[in-house]
Amino acid sequence: MRTTESEGRCRDGARSRSGEHVGGLKTARTPQQEESSGEIGDAAESLRELPRWMRLYFYGMHGVTLDVLLSSLQGVFNHRDPKLVGFSSPYLCIMHSLTHFALEKIYSQKRCFRGRPVVFHLVFYPSVYIGLQILIGNINTLTEQVRVVSGTQLAVHYILAIYFAQVFHRGLSRLQYHPCCPIDLLRKPGPEDSGQDRTGPQGLPGFVRFLFFGMHGFLDEVLFTSMFNLVEKSDRTLSGHTSLWSFLMYGSCSFVVEKLYLHLHFSRGWGTWQRLPLYICFIYAWEFSWGLVLRQFDACSWDYSHYPHNFMGLITLLYLPGWVCLSLYQDMLSNVLLRIKWNKDADVSGENGEVNGQLESKKKLL
């Protein structure tokens, strides 16, 4: 009888710990708990993969970054140029968007190589990647003469293919989109949220935001210089240029400007035209400081001495309208980045052909 009674008490205790009384009735939940669980469920269900337009935008920007990186490194090896100037164009930006999108579809076929990951990562995916890159390289010469690819270029393309398969697609699969208003996403957790699981999707880490702003700086300069060359030099190839130093300049500057935006707009309630003068002053100070330091090492890639209203050839009021437009666009980018979440628990295997953080969140709720 003692054994039977003890077993009964254990079963009753287990039911009590699982949220039920001994009689099988569920324990009452407080309104705060129900509201909290409802918010968690709504947040998990609202998370989705990045919209297609956003992925295409990022793919083009990422492709331009690779163009600038490879061409600038080639210039360093050939000419020892400390300015680290690299090249790309709007044409290549569009082509990179399309090819990256195609590579995304190819990567989703990884599930067809179950049990043979080496074949996919080292043979199939690199072959497709190299073929697409050769096509891009010959896109302007298909009607004339096909450009021969050297062994060094093939080796570089193969290394980049490994990077795409092992790093790029895996990292991108951890990003999820939350269509909620940015002000709601900035809500700080209250006392009622202290017991919630915080291992789910979080905001983008600082280094990811820095990388995004640095790559976007490349895109901005390539687009600007290509349009400038078209108007001033009638260059229909729309070739644009920038410098690897611009990555650090734009990445750090935009990172600080974003912090200013979040504080002044959401905490202080400052309007756009109140924030704008502060943005412009900081941008000019940042450009002047970087230019002054780089000039000491003959690494400054810009010189505004021939422009009116310049100061030491490092800054000029002629570009003020451009900086105003970029500052306004920066606020829009910050609002978009607030909606992107980094999900450490997302399934990066690619076997489901989609971002699986949302699926895992639903499983946890069930």
Side-chain angles (χ1 to χ4, degrees):
M1 290 296 294
R2 290 182 180 178
T3 304
T4 304
E5 291 176 356
S6 62
E7 289 178 353
R9 284 194 294 269
C10 290
R11 286 194 295 268
D12 293 341
R15 284 198 297 267
S16 299
R17 286 190 298 269
S18 63
E20 298 181 359
H21 287 301
V22 177
L25 298 177
K26 294 184 178 179
T27 57
R29 302 180 64 184
T30 63
Q32 291 82 358
Q33 290 175 330
E34 293 180 354
E35 182 179 357
S36 176
S37 61
E39 290 178 355
I40 297 175
D42 293 340
E45 291 180 358
S46 61
L47 287 173
R48 62 190 68 170
E49 66 177 3
L50 298 181
R52 183 175 301 175
W53 67 266
M54 190 179 296
R55 301 202 306 274
L56 289 173
Y57 188 95
F58 178 75
Y59 291 158
M61 183 174 62
H62 182 263
V64 168
T65 299
L66 292 180
D67 288 340
V68 173
L69 177 62
L70 295 177
S71 57
S72 62
L73 291 179
Q74 184 178 6
V76 170
F77 293 145
N78 295 336
H79 308 292
R80 305 294 180 182
D81 185 10
K83 294 182 175 63
L84 305 180
V85 177
F87 303 89
S88 188
S89 72
Y91 290 146
L92 290 176
C93 180
I94 296 174
M95 292 303 301
H96 286 306
S97 294
L98 298 178
T99 54
H100 278 50
F101 188 73
L103 289 171
E104 171 191 304
K105 302 304 179 183
I106 296 298
Y107 187 79
S108 66
Q109 301 304 313
K110 178 183 176 181
R111 60 183 180 273
C112 299
F113 290 81
R114 292 177 180 175
R116 296 177 296 170
V118 175
V119 176
F120 178 84
H121 289 293
L122 301 183
V123 179
F124 178 74
Y125 186 90
S127 300
V128 176
Y129 177 87
I130 292 174
L132 288 174
Q133 297 307 311
I134 293 176
L135 178 61
I136 293 178
N138 289 282
I139 195 67
N140 295 324
T141 59
L142 287 178
T143 58
E144 301 173 4
Q145 183 179 0
V146 177
R147 185 182 305 172
V148 179
V149 180
S150 65
T152 302
Q153 290 175 319
L154 286 176
V156 171
H157 287 324
Y158 188 83
I159 294 174
L160 288 177
I162 300 299
Y163 154 74
F164 268 81
Q166 298 296 325
V167 179
F168 179 78
H169 291 298
R170 288 173 177 265
L172 196 67
S173 66
R174 297 184 184 275
L175 301 181
Q176 294 177 306
Y177 182 72
H178 198 302
C180 187
C181 180
I183 187 63
D184 297 331
L185 298 175
L186 287 174
R187 183 183 68 87
K188 295 182 179 180
E192 67 277 3
D193 302 324
S194 58
Q196 295 180 10
D197 182 15
R198 299 184 183 179
T199 60
Q202 305 293 329
L204 288 179
F207 79 94
V208 176
R209 309 177 88 87
F210 174 81
L211 292 177
F212 176 86
F213 289 133
M215 290 190 294
H216 205 283
F218 279 163
L219 179 63
D220 293 338
E221 289 211 341
V222 167
L223 292 179
F224 174 79
T225 53
S226 64
M227 293 297 105
F228 186 84
N229 291 335
L230 176 64
V231 174
E232 189 175 72
K233 303 178 182 179
S234 299
D235 183 6
R236 296 185 180 276
T237 63
L238 294 182
S239 177
H241 63 273
T242 182
S243 169
L244 285 187
W245 299 114
S246 297
F247 183 89
L248 300 177
M249 291 171 53
Y250 279 92
S252 55
C253 181
S254 297
F255 187 82
V256 174
V257 170
E258 183 190 46
K259 296 298 183 183
L260 290 174
Y261 167 69
L262 297 178
H263 176 70
L264 297 177
H265 179 58
F266 293 105
S267 298
R268 294 290 188 88
W270 285 23
T272 301
W273 301 111
Q274 290 177 293
R275 302 189 306 271
L276 194 58
L278 188 59
Y279 291 168
I280 298 301
C281 290
F282 179 78
I283 290 173
Y284 270 116
W286 202 253
E287 183 183 23
F288 178 79
S289 301
W290 271 91
L292 197 61
V293 173
L294 291 176
R295 182 175 285 182
Q296 307 305 315
F297 303 94
D298 194 27
C300 185
S301 60
W302 70 92
D303 185 5
Y304 303 142
S305 299
H306 56 291
Y307 289 149
H309 311 297
N310 76 86
F311 181 69
M312 296 180 62
L314 296 176
I315 55 176
T316 175
L317 291 178
L318 188 65
Y319 286 171
L320 179 60
W323 291 127
V324 170
C325 293
L326 284 180
S327 297
L328 297 176
Y329 190 59
Q330 164 82 31
D331 288 352
M332 297 173 58
L333 287 177
S334 297
N335 287 332
V336 172
L337 292 183
L338 286 176
R339 294 182 171 95
I340 300 178
K341 298 299 179 182
W342 177 270
N343 191 354
K344 296 181 180 179
D345 300 326
D347 180 13
V348 297
S349 63
E351 295 182 355
N352 292 332
E354 60 181 347
V355 179
N356 295 320
Q358 179 179 353
L359 299 178
E360 289 194 357
S361 299
K362 291 183 178 180
K363 290 179 181 178
K364 291 180 180 179
L365 292 176
L366 295 176

